[in-house]
Amino acid sequence: MGDSQITDSHALNGKLPAPAACYDVVVIGAGPSGIETAVVAAGEGKSVLLVDENPVAGAAMGNDVPLFFGGRMTTATLNADRMVETVFTSEPGLEAAMEAGVELLLGTCAWGVYRNGPAFGTLPSQVVGLADATRSWLVGFDRLVLATGARDLAIGFPGWNQPGVMGAAALTMLLSRYEAFAGKRVLFVGSHDLALETALLAREKGVAVAGLVEVRDAPQGRADLVEAVRAAQIAIHTDDVVARAEGGIDGVERAILRSGAEIECDTICLGIGLVPAIELVDAMGAKRTLDPVRGGYVPAPDDGIDFVGDCAGLPDTGFDHVAYRMEWARALGAVSAPETIVCQCEEVTRGDLIGVQPPNYLTRSPTMEARSLATLLDDGPANQDQIKRLTRAGMGVCQGRRCRDQVAMMLAIEADQPFGTIPLATHRAPVRPLPLQILADWSESEEMRSGWDVWFGIPTAWIPYRDIGTEAEITHQQARVWSA
């Protein structure tokens, strides 16, 4: 459509500028899978751009984007130059990729993907939206590879909405790539491979491990990992859960278990499971499917886009991750009072969610107070997008990363339905919280500006499209002037 002639000054056809650059292959995510894909493509003689949002800006990390950092990063993360150097040197594959001819952008997030389709045909090419700390721009591609990895599954409990409760993937990132973890003594929730591996990594990095808490009556991970944890004299508290986290001005100070045991710690790390990071998949309108065993939604095959690494699906270890996660959700839900926060950004409680109540800063009429999930289910299956609009759970700056999956689990439990029968809330671009001054394009061409007065001009605030360019347009203009 980019070469089409402009026949209507008010239409977008042909007006959108060409992207800032175009590549044969754009890879989003510079983990092992993304690096390998980029190097292979460069070896085939293709022009390749490799993009990774790490190091993430301190403000975004404070809002747990993209991982559940839980306020446990050091102030070193505020030094952007130091973090770029640290992240680059911690991943040797990045240098190898550059030597292979790959163009590398660190500290750059991908916030949206746009392709022409049945309802949109004005793009000069398919593009991905990128942004760094100072600007936003579009990059064209022939093929897009998403290697966006996975993020932590967060499940709330009393006191989890304070600094010091974080995810295992975030802890691994702070320990291995950022070298900027601020905690000193960590208690892990879960005892499958994720929790065990992260606990051993923390011990290796000199962090004290206060123990692991397991809801089942025995550790759930690989035998060799369990043996290594026990050899390190790390206690595993089985048949137990964190009943609440207590803390002070700096966040978590101790965990109180259901059994009554008190464990001193400044960090509680959730290692219950990971979820494929498919926000871009959602935002571009691509399809997704539920992995019934490994947990989480994964992208369906899509022409022109490849998915590699954990974003395409977590490794199959033969373990029933969904059953394990739902067991944790039920157990933590049982120790959580109605006032326990579910959505930290909007301060939506369990009671609000199950009662389908609006945020507590809005007036609740008697009609609203009589509403509940049960009354909603009388009209049909629960839908998380609907619940999101009614309660605002998932509408905050973290864009649902801390609550989206646990809300779906809670709705399934309350509706007495298997996990996966409640569709997850959708994502829309931008899938990263970006300041408007960065996201906005202030350099619109005159072609783009022409015609906008049809909609926003004064006094011609709106004119029916069919009347544009006819005598009726003048009549509308005169009517507005006379009415004014």
Side-chain angles (χ1 to χ4, degrees):
M1 302 290 299
D3 296 330
S4 62
Q5 184 178 0
I6 299 176
T7 58
D8 186 340
S9 64
H10 304 292
L12 284 174
N13 291 5
K15 288 185 178 181
L16 295 179
C22 292
Y23 298 85
D24 295 328
V25 181
V26 175
V27 182
I28 307 299
S33 298
I35 292 173
E36 180 182 359
T37 303
V39 170
V40 169
E44 295 172 350
K46 295 181 171 63
S47 59
V48 182
L49 175 66
L50 177 60
V51 177
D52 195 281
E53 62 189 326
N54 293 292
V56 181
M61 295 178 74
N63 288 313
D64 291 325
V65 178
L67 300 175
F68 187 14
F69 293 107
R72 279 298 179 256
M73 51 281 182
T74 69
T75 56
T77 57
L78 301 178
N79 186 331
D81 292 338
R82 178 189 182 279
M83 283 297 100
V84 168
E85 181 180 353
T86 301
V87 168
F88 184 81
T89 56
S90 67
E91 179 52 78
L94 294 176
E95 184 175 0
M98 293 179 68
E99 291 176 351
V102 174
E103 183 176 339
L104 174 65
L105 291 178
L106 295 178
T108 303
C109 70
W111 52 263
V113 177
Y114 298 92
R115 299 179 290 177
N116 285 326
F120 194 76
T122 64
L123 290 171
S125 66
Q126 51 188 359
V127 295
V128 55
L130 303 179
D132 58 19
T134 60
R135 68 185 182 110
S136 173
W137 69 101
L138 298 177
V139 168
F141 61 88
D142 289 335
R143 192 153 196 90
L144 180 68
V145 180
L146 296 186
T148 47
R151 55 183 175 79
D152 292 294
L153 171 68
I155 303 179
F157 52 87
W160 82 296
N161 55 316
Q162 61 182 313
V165 180
M166 66 181 305
L171 179 56
T172 299
M173 179 68 72
L174 291 180
L175 290 172
S176 299
R177 295 195 71 183
Y178 281 65
E179 298 177 6
F181 176 56
K184 293 180 171 50
R185 184 174 172 82
V186 185
L187 175 68
F188 287 84
V189 176
S191 73
H192 196 253
D193 295 355
L194 174 65
L196 297 172
E197 290 171 348
T198 311
L200 291 171
L201 173 64
R203 175 62 68 88
E204 177 187 333
K205 296 292 185 178
V207 177
V209 178
L212 294 93
V213 182
E214 172 53 49
V215 69
R216 293 181 174 176
D217 59 8
Q220 298 298 297
R222 296 197 325 260
D224 61 319
L225 292 175
V226 175
E227 183 180 352
V229 165
R230 285 179 167 156
Q233 298 183 329
I234 298 173
I236 303 178
H237 304 267
T238 57
D239 194 21
D240 217 341
V241 300
V242 176
R244 69 181 184 275
E246 296 181 346
I249 191 171
D250 294 322
V252 172
E253 294 176 350
R254 70 189 65 82
I256 312 300
L257 304 190
R258 183 176 60 188
S259 63
E262 294 189 15
I263 300 177
E264 300 296 320
C265 58
D266 59 25
T267 304
I268 298 175
C269 181
L270 298 174
I272 298 171
L274 298 175
V275 177
I278 60 168
E279 296 96 322
L280 278 172
V281 176
D282 272 355
M284 76 175 75
K287 294 181 180 179
R288 57 186 178 177
T289 60
L290 177 68
D291 188 321
V293 175
R294 287 169 281 185
Y297 284 81
V298 297
D302 189 282
D303 185 31
I305 297 181
D306 294 325
F307 309 99
V308 299
D310 287 345
C311 129
L314 303 177
D316 186 359
T317 63
F319 185 74
D320 191 341
H321 292 274
V322 170
Y324 184 61
R325 297 172 187 192
M326 291 298 285
E327 191 168 337
W328 268 108
R330 290 188 174 91
L332 291 174
V335 300
S336 298
E339 61 269 19
T340 302
I341 293 291
V342 173
C343 172
Q344 295 187 24
C345 296
E346 294 293 323
E347 297 186 349
V348 180
T349 66
R350 288 183 61 88
D352 294 337
L353 186 74
I354 295 172
V356 195
Q357 296 300 304
N360 55 25
Y361 51 79
L362 295 179
T363 301
R364 301 180 180 184
S365 66
T367 302
M368 287 184 176
E369 290 180 343
R371 187 173 66 197
S372 70
L373 183 59
T375 62
L376 211 63
L377 291 174
D378 290 339
D379 298 327
N383 181 288
Q384 194 176 352
D385 271 329
Q386 180 189 34
I387 299 294
K388 175 180 174 181
R389 294 183 178 97
L390 293 173
T391 67
R392 291 193 61 84
M395 283 193 176
V397 69
C398 89
Q399 299 174 302
R401 288 175 183 82
R402 288 181 295 220
C403 69
R404 190 173 76 139
D405 296 276
Q406 67 170 313
V407 166
M409 296 166 77
M410 288 175 60
L411 293 177
I413 291 171
E414 292 297 320
D416 195 23
Q417 296 293 325
F419 178 74
T421 57
I422 308 297
L424 287 176
T426 53
H427 284 100
R428 292 184 295 179
V431 298
R432 292 292 183 266
L434 299 175
L436 288 178
Q437 65 179 3
I438 289 179
L439 188 60
D441 183 1
W442 301 111
S443 58
E444 286 185 346
S445 64
E446 287 301 323
E447 281 186 330
M448 284 294 293
R449 290 191 181 95
S450 66
W452 283 100
D453 63 307
V454 174
W455 306 106
F456 301 112
I458 297 174
T460 57
W462 183 77
I463 295 172
Y465 189 82
R466 65 179 179 276
D467 292 343
I468 295 173
T470 69
E471 291 183 2
E473 180 177 6
I474 299 175
T475 302
H476 280 287
Q477 292 173 335
Q478 291 175 340
R480 291 188 177 278
V481 172
W482 292 334
S483 64

